[in-house]
Amino acid sequence: MLNRVVSLFRQRGFAIESLTIGRTHEPHVSRLTLVVDGQKTAIEQVIKQLYKVIEVRKVSDLTHDTKVERELALVKVFSRNSSMRAEIMQVADIYRARVVDVSHNSLTVEVTGPSDKVDSLVQLLRPYGIKELVRTGVVAMSRGMAGVPTESGRDGQATRAPVPLKAVSV
């Protein structure tokens, strides 16, 4: 399914900010969280195109829902001496990030949270020298009963900001 979705979006020039896919609590069902820029991409068109992928069972636009969003990043930062290492660890602690690897010249920090939190920590670590950075992309879920699909199964609206969409597929 992922190949079909990526190909479909590439052909139409949709502005994808992040794309995350993983298993769900149901066997043989995956959930794709897609964040698109609503200023560059017509959200309604994205939803219509997702429904054209045969395996997609449901698409939800989480734009106006109260939601939980998280992203994971691993940031490998140069740490040339013990005082620099201590500073980096202090910055990580402020963000409730964890140091997951230490070598003689670098630290790897793991941070999880909303994208703006990840962005903020990355900006604070830049002056130390980022050796390597990897981000998962956003995963999102509606809080409570928000985002329950309408009878047609389509509950999307157009927007002008990055929009998390979830697509559930078989």
Side-chain angles (χ1 to χ4, degrees):
M1 181 192 77
L2 183 59
N3 288 338
R4 275 191 274 265
V5 169
V6 171
S7 176
L8 178 127
F9 286 167
R10 187 177 47 233
Q11 289 171 357
R12 286 164 180 76
F14 292 146
I16 299 172
E17 291 197 4
S18 104
L19 178 68
T20 308
I21 191 166
R23 294 182 299 231
T24 68
H25 63 287
E26 297 179 49
H28 310 293
V29 174
S30 296
R31 182 177 180 150
L32 178 136
T33 304
L34 175 69
V35 178
V36 295
D37 185 337
Q39 294 177 339
K40 297 178 183 171
T41 304
I43 304 309
E44 292 168 2
Q45 191 62 26
V46 173
I47 291 169
K48 287 176 185 174
Q49 294 301 319
L50 280 169
Y51 273 112
K52 288 183 180 181
V53 177
I54 293 169
E55 297 91 350
V56 171
R57 294 192 334 192
K58 179 176 79 173
V59 178
S60 299
D61 178 352
L62 302 180
T63 308
H64 303 291
D65 289 354
T66 54
K67 58 192 160 289
V68 177
E69 293 181 38
R70 294 293 183 265
E71 184 174 5
L72 170 91
L74 296 174
V75 188
K76 189 180 292 184
V77 184
F78 289 103
S79 61
R80 293 170 182 75
N81 55 51
S82 60
S83 66
M84 186 181 272
R85 198 171 358 264
E87 285 178 34
I88 294 167
M89 291 171 77
Q90 193 172 27
V91 169
D93 190 49
I94 291 167
Y95 280 79
R96 294 188 181 131
R98 299 180 326 134
V99 174
V100 293
D101 187 54
V102 179
S103 72
H104 67 282
N105 66 352
S106 69
L107 288 174
T108 302
V109 176
E110 171 193 297
V111 61
T112 304
S115 295
D116 58 347
K117 175 184 175 181
V118 174
D119 292 339
S120 180
L121 178 60
V122 168
Q123 287 305 101
L124 285 175
L125 294 175
R126 282 200 193 284
Y128 296 100
I130 294 177
K131 192 173 188 177
E132 194 173 349
L133 168 68
V134 64
R135 295 173 75 152
T136 60
V138 174
V139 293
M141 183 181 289
S142 296
R143 291 183 182 268
M145 293 302 290
V148 175
T150 58
E151 280 189 27
S152 69
R154 299 166 192 238
D155 58 348
Q157 293 180 3
T159 186
R160 294 215 171 269
V163 177
L165 298 172
K166 69 179 181 190
V168 180
S169 67
V170 180

